[in-house]
Amino acid sequence: MRILAAEEGCHLFGDNGCGFEAPTVGMFFPEPWYGGIPGSAGIDLYMVLLLIAVGATLLLWSWFSKKLSLVPGRRQSVGEMLVLFIRDQISRPIMGAKGDRFLPFLTAIFSFILLMNFTGLIPGLLPVNSNLAFPAMLSLVIYLMTLVVGMKHQGGWGYVKNQIFPPGMPKPIYVLVTPIEFLSVFIIRPVTHALRLFATMFAGSLLLAVFAYGGWYMLNLTAGPVLSTVSVLFSGAALVGYLVFFVFEILIMVVQAFIFTLLASLYLNQSLEAAH
């Protein structure tokens, strides 16, 4: 993440004439470290963080499931608590007992998205999902899965018909409702599923960067006794704001992983059964 005010030693009350340059969206487009891979954008910060999140997810669940027993130990209990949380708060309320078959998938999605979000808590790094390509790919996986499940349980045309022709409406209303339902289910739904996760991670990271760089810019211990004191007060206020939003961002990261998984469960449930 680049900012001239920090790189050039610019600070409040400085005598070098430079001012504060706020973080921009350019910080979300890091230069690739290696671009020699055909058909790809190369290896950059996001790719490394993605691989770290994948490895952390695999290691975490390998650790939870190591030496399973009927009387769970502390490690196994934590893993079971997470599985029960997904089952009791997402799967069962939406899908009922038939959703248990999707419980491993939903649990994996929740923990994977959460770890991808948490990469943004490391100073100087970004959450993987602040790059639209990654939540878009996750959304595409859910979308294709709902199509496969829906066509398997309702038939090809049966699934499409049940989505765009809601039952119980007067036939003339379908002229208005059917195009709206088609756009909503097959176009708008997967797009908003990805954008919701991306937008919150993008905005949260940008806000944290503003507080971090702003606090650094306002800290000037060489401006004289009075101005240095003022700069420390300003910098301290920015630090407090950063810490407050840092804690708030952790909550947002958890909530967004929960919402993404909740919507995935809802879409899968609509694929299992036609609306009544």
Side-chain angles (χ1 to χ4, degrees):
M1 292 185 288
R2 182 176 181 270
I3 180 170
L4 293 179
E7 292 178 355
E8 298 177 358
C10 295
H11 294 281
L12 186 67
F13 306 128
D15 56 2
N16 52 7
C18 61
F20 174 67
E21 181 180 329
T24 66
V25 296
M27 70 183 229
F28 295 98
F29 300 95
E31 292 292 330
W33 296 321
Y34 176 72
I37 302 177
S40 73
I43 299 176
D44 59 5
L45 176 63
Y46 283 112
M47 184 61 66
V48 173
L49 294 178
L50 175 66
L51 294 176
I52 291 174
V54 170
T57 304
L58 294 175
L59 288 175
L60 182 66
W61 284 105
S62 297
W63 184 66
F64 283 154
S65 59
K66 186 179 181 180
K67 297 181 180 179
L68 297 177
S69 62
L70 292 176
V71 181
R74 184 176 303 175
R75 180 188 65 250
Q76 182 179 336
S77 296
V78 174
E80 290 181 358
M81 286 174 59
L82 182 55
V83 174
L84 291 175
F85 171 76
I86 301 299
R87 188 194 70 177
D88 296 339
Q89 301 300 322
I90 296 179
S91 177
R92 286 282 178 90
I94 293 178
M95 309 174 72
K98 65 181 180 296
D100 288 352
R101 76 184 79 170
F102 298 105
L103 187 56
F105 173 74
L106 295 174
T107 304
I109 283 290
F110 175 82
S111 54
F112 181 46
I113 292 176
L114 190 60
L115 289 172
M116 285 199 295
N117 291 344
F118 278 175
T119 59
L121 298 178
I122 304 172
L125 300 184
L126 296 164
V128 177
N129 289 314
S130 63
N131 185 315
L132 181 58
F134 299 102
M137 184 56 64
L138 291 172
S139 177
L140 180 61
V141 170
I142 301 298
Y143 176 68
L144 294 177
M145 189 173 180
T146 57
L147 291 180
V148 172
V149 172
M151 293 180 181
K152 178 180 178 181
H153 286 80
Q154 302 177 42
W157 169 242
Y159 172 71
V160 175
K161 181 182 70 174
N162 290 328
Q163 297 297 318
I164 65 177
F165 294 103
M169 291 186 177
K171 291 184 179 180
I173 301 296
Y174 286 119
V175 177
L176 177 63
V177 171
T178 296
I180 295 175
E181 289 296 322
F182 178 83
L183 289 173
S184 174
V185 173
F186 296 104
I187 298 178
I188 297 176
R189 177 189 291 180
V191 171
T192 56
H193 200 192
L195 285 179
R196 184 181 292 105
L197 177 60
F198 158 73
T200 51
M201 294 300 100
F202 181 91
S205 297
L206 191 59
L207 185 61
L208 286 176
V210 168
F211 275 99
Y213 290 137
W216 171 255
Y217 170 74
M218 288 186 286
L219 181 62
N220 189 347
L221 302 179
T222 63
V226 177
L227 294 181
S228 293
T229 302
V230 174
S231 74
V232 169
L233 292 176
F234 286 168
S235 181
L239 176 60
V240 171
Y242 176 86
L243 293 176
V244 169
F245 279 101
F246 184 85
V247 174
F248 184 69
E249 185 68 6
I250 295 176
L251 176 62
I252 292 298
M253 289 176 175
V254 176
V255 170
Q256 285 304 314
F258 178 84
I259 291 176
F260 192 96
T261 309
L262 182 72
L263 290 174
S265 178
L266 178 63
Y267 299 154
L268 287 170
N269 183 59
Q270 293 175 354
S271 296
L272 288 174
E273 296 180 348
H276 299 290

